[in-house]
Amino acid sequence: MSYPKIIIYNEEIEIAHQQSDVDYFLYGISEHEQKNVRVLEESGTYHTLLGKACQPLSADELGVYVKHYLANEGQCCLSKIQQLSPQQAFDLLAIN
């Protein structure tokens, strides 16, 4: 399993640089809720925690989630972010 990954759950994202980051994120999330978690790979593929392919986010949705994450991290001047490809998301989050 390669890293980094973007973990998507409950309309928010988290960044996982290693398996322990995923474990930390999943702590306290029920098994039922874990079924709603998506993982975005740097290659642009989306899958569930079990590795099964799942519906990708639209470019608009990904843009909103990345913008929200960056705002929470204290970034400003985010108004130009509208639509993002997976590669652009990884670039903006500076995790590639």
Side-chain angles (χ1 to χ4, degrees):
M1 202 179 267
S2 64
Y3 287 89
K5 300 176 184 305
I6 297 175
I7 309 296
I8 305 151
Y9 173 70
N10 203 21
E11 300 183 5
E12 294 189 15
I13 61 174
E14 292 293 330
I15 301 169
H17 295 281
Q18 56 193 1
Q19 181 60 44
S20 63
D21 295 335
V22 177
D23 297 339
Y24 179 78
F25 171 75
L26 294 175
Y27 182 79
I29 297 178
S30 73
E31 225 175 276
H32 175 70
E33 291 172 319
Q34 288 182 20
K35 293 178 183 175
N36 296 318
V37 174
R38 294 183 215 188
V39 178
L40 172 56
E41 300 284 346
E42 196 168 4
S43 65
T45 60
Y46 287 83
H47 60 82
T48 66
L49 290 171
L50 298 175
K52 182 180 175 185
C54 64
Q55 182 70 31
L57 294 176
S58 70
D60 289 329
E61 289 173 311
L62 187 56
V64 168
Y65 295 165
V66 169
K67 189 176 352 181
H68 183 259
Y69 179 89
L70 292 172
N72 285 341
E73 293 292 311
Q75 297 291 323
C76 62
C77 306
L78 302 171
S79 62
K80 290 184 180 180
I81 298 174
Q82 299 299 321
Q83 298 179 336
L84 294 175
S85 69
Q87 187 59 52
Q88 289 170 320
F90 276 86
D91 289 344
L92 276 173
L93 296 169
I95 55 175
N96 54 2

